[in-house]
Amino acid sequence: MDGRSYVMSGSLSDFSFSEVLDVVALSRQHTLVELREPDGSAVASINLKAGHLVRTASDTDDPRDAFDRAIRADSSCLFHVYRLSEPMEYQDSGRIADVLKDITKRPRRAKSRVRPPRPVAPRRKPAPTPPTTPEKTPVAAPTSAAPERPTSTAPERPTSTAPERPTSTAPERPTSAAPERPTSTAPERPTSTAPERPTSAAPSRPSVGSTRTSSVAVAVASPKGGVGKTTIALNLGISIARRGLRVTVIDADINGDILSLIDSRGAAKAGTYNLLSQPDTLERTLRRTAVPGLRVLPAMGQTLPDAASATGDQTEQWRALIAQALQSADVVLVDCPAGVTHTSLQVLRAVSHVLGVFQAETVASRSFEMFGRALDALQGPDRVEVAGVVVNMLSESDTSAAAYERFKTGPTGEWVLDPPIEHMGAFDQAADAGTPVQMFDSDAARNIAWVFDTLAAELSTRLALAPKQLEAGDSFLI
């Protein structure tokens, strides 16, 4: 089939077909899921779009029968997921949730042949614990030589259901990568979900095979607080670094800072707001992490920034600091404060791209109009490109689904990165365990890590960032 692009693959011994659906079924693009036996023979081919099972002209059998075979497939089967980039005529065969309910009520069919023995899935070896250093801030399970996780392959299951804990000599453990929560009730906004945008503000689409030779700075921003900017900046940084790229996360939010998110607030002696007046000290202030290729610049040290930082225009200082960070990083992510004025606006003037965060709920959808207005206000050399928008906290409620649907089908729907991040209890469980959700040891958390890896792959494609292998000595674990 022409017009397909590879998304991910794996084994049903690691992820059930239902778990695969949790990740890819809500995509607004046509998505093809193929199931095959270990010998390569076909089991089923499923077409999906926006939470619905669809039938296309290429389907050779009834979609529900194919779905039935897929949901009952043996765990030895392999799955491959593709996006279909070309427009396709299709017929709706029903909501996936409804089809799943109908099919699970059917009696099991007798197997027509004996399946081959189930292969033993490789297991991830525990990574060695790095020595404690006074300048190291853990944002992931301690490791000095952790294997890079493939971007498009399902994570492997660990051999134990219990989360691994660092030894007593390990650095202080992080506490949470749970989405930020709103601290106040947002006022009512106009009912429009997104403003009309000029076509020039659409995500930059590089030509096939093109790659970026220079570094890129991306602001992570949203008009509303508590939508998960910090969580997304940190976890997306982890996934991008695992693609072999050097990533620096700059924290510009003193109220919801990254070090508080990972329970390391007391470790920093200086941070972003200290460096605005002296960007040449960046290398001495960056916090090394246990993720190869990833470093973090805290928002501040132990004291709040002075009034000048809180009220003055420091656009030029932000430009100088971000330019300094780009000298030693392929990607710089700047976690902005809530809103799109003052500090966030200064950061937007200093970066080349912006990544929006959209919370899938009614009030946030109304307030997101301000995101477009802020970008419209940036003209000339201050103009910033939209790298995409991450949809966060999608729930099963009708209002959440409706907000998501309105946004992705609106004027700025092409901004949306797939898949959305669902509101899962794994974020809270990871917070209780004191670890980022990407590194938490549970099936749900591995699903979330898979989502972040997929988002990182899509963002890298839009920004023309080619994955590469980190060279020895380039892991920042020094």
Side-chain angles (χ1 to χ4, degrees):
M1 181 183 298
D2 295 331
R4 68 167 63 179
S5 59
Y6 173 79
V7 176
M8 62 186 71
S9 62
S11 170
L12 295 187
S13 63
D14 293 321
F15 286 86
S16 69
F17 181 66
S18 295
E19 290 173 326
V20 175
L21 292 178
D22 286 342
V23 175
V24 303
L26 289 176
S27 173
R28 63 189 174 88
Q29 293 178 282
H30 279 285
T31 302
L32 174 67
V33 181
E34 292 182 344
L35 294 184
R36 296 185 178 275
E37 298 281 8
D39 62 5
S41 58
V43 175
S45 180
I46 312 297
N47 274 285
L48 310 170
K49 181 175 173 63
H52 287 246
L53 178 67
V54 300
R55 181 168 193 164
T56 70
S58 62
D59 291 336
T60 57
D61 58 1
D62 183 85
R64 289 184 175 240
D65 289 339
F67 198 93
D68 190 4
R69 294 196 301 274
I71 204 67
R72 302 185 193 281
D74 190 85
S75 59
S76 62
C77 291
L78 306 176
F79 66 86
H80 303 270
V81 181
Y82 304 91
R83 288 200 184 118
L84 309 182
S85 58
E86 296 179 352
M88 178 180 293
E89 295 292 333
Y90 67 92
Q91 295 177 340
D92 192 344
S93 295
R95 292 178 65 249
I96 292 175
D98 297 334
V99 175
L100 187 59
K101 289 179 183 178
D102 293 341
I103 288 178
T104 52
K105 294 177 182 178
R106 297 183 184 180
R108 289 187 176 273
R109 300 176 180 178
K111 294 182 180 179
S112 59
R113 58 190 174 89
V114 178
R115 296 185 184 275
R118 173 176 171 176
V120 178
R123 306 298 183 185
R124 181 177 295 177
K125 296 181 181 180
T129 302
T132 303
T133 59
E135 288 296 313
K136 188 168 183 177
T137 301
V139 297
T143 173
S144 59
E148 297 180 6
R149 183 170 62 217
T151 307
S152 59
T153 303
E156 303 166 349
R157 288 186 182 276
T159 56
S160 170
T161 58
E164 294 185 1
R165 307 295 185 186
T167 63
S168 58
T169 60
E172 190 175 349
R173 298 198 56 191
T175 59
S176 173
E180 303 166 70
R181 307 297 184 187
T183 57
S184 63
T185 302
E188 284 293 313
R189 304 286 185 185
T191 55
S192 171
T193 57
E196 293 187 5
R197 302 285 299 146
T199 56
S200 61
S204 175
R205 297 279 185 178
S207 59
V208 176
S210 66
T211 56
R212 183 181 295 275
T213 58
S214 59
S215 301
V216 59
V218 183
V220 181
S222 178
K224 183 177 180 296
V227 300
K229 294 186 304 298
T230 302
T231 297
I232 288 170
L234 175 61
N235 284 279
L236 205 53
I238 292 174
S239 289
I240 295 174
R242 281 176 171 159
R243 293 176 61 81
L245 296 167
R246 300 169 302 166
V247 181
T248 294
V249 179
I250 295 179
D251 192 352
D253 186 3
I254 61 175
N255 295 312
D257 64 307
I258 289 177
L259 290 193
S260 293
L261 182 68
I262 60 175
D263 198 23
S264 297
R265 177 89 289 283
K269 298 177 181 178
T272 301
Y273 287 90
N274 303 103
L275 268 63
L276 287 177
S277 58
Q278 45 185 349
D280 56 327
T281 62
L282 174 67
E283 289 298 315
R284 299 197 300 270
T285 312
L286 281 171
R287 310 295 300 185
R288 299 187 296 273
T289 76
V291 178
L294 176 67
R295 295 192 290 182
V296 174
L297 179 63
M300 58 184 181
Q302 299 305 304
T303 59
L304 290 172
D306 57 32
S309 298
T311 59
D313 184 357
Q314 296 188 304
T315 300
E316 293 304 319
Q317 288 90 330
W318 280 109
R319 286 174 175 155
L321 177 61
I322 291 171
Q324 183 73 25
L326 287 170
Q327 293 184 15
S328 60
D330 300 304
V331 181
V332 173
L333 298 175
V334 185
D335 178 25
C336 293
V340 284
T341 60
H342 194 61
T343 298
S344 294
L345 192 58
Q346 294 171 28
V347 172
L348 288 173
R349 289 172 176 153
V351 299
S352 57
H353 294 76
V354 59
L355 179 69
V357 180
F358 173 80
Q359 182 183 357
E361 57 95 22
T362 302
V363 174
S365 67
R366 293 170 180 167
S367 68
F368 205 81
E369 180 184 356
M370 297 304 299
F371 182 73
R373 291 185 181 181
L375 299 185
D376 284 337
L378 299 173
Q379 300 295 329
D382 291 341
R383 187 71 178 176
V384 62
E385 290 189 49
V386 179
V389 173
V390 176
V391 177
N392 195 26
M393 301 184 192
L394 178 64
S395 70
E396 296 181 354
S397 71
D398 292 340
T399 55
S400 180
Y404 173 48
E405 185 66 23
R406 286 194 303 270
F407 183 67
K408 71 177 185 179
T409 57
T412 56
E414 63 182 320
W415 289 349
V416 178
L417 294 171
D418 286 324
I421 303 173
E422 295 186 46
H423 189 69
M424 294 184 178
F427 285 101
D428 296 328
Q429 294 168 3
D432 290 340
T435 182
V437 70
Q438 280 241 48
M439 313 304 293
F440 186 60
D441 189 7
S442 77
D443 290 345
R446 280 188 291 275
N447 284 349
I448 295 172
W450 190 10
V451 169
F452 275 111
D453 285 347
T454 305
L455 290 171
E458 173 68 10
L459 184 62
S460 296
T461 298
R462 293 190 178 194
L463 297 176
L465 298 169
K468 58 185 179 180
Q469 188 71 30
L470 283 174
E471 300 176 359
D474 196 25
S475 68
F476 299 150
L477 293 176
I478 55 178

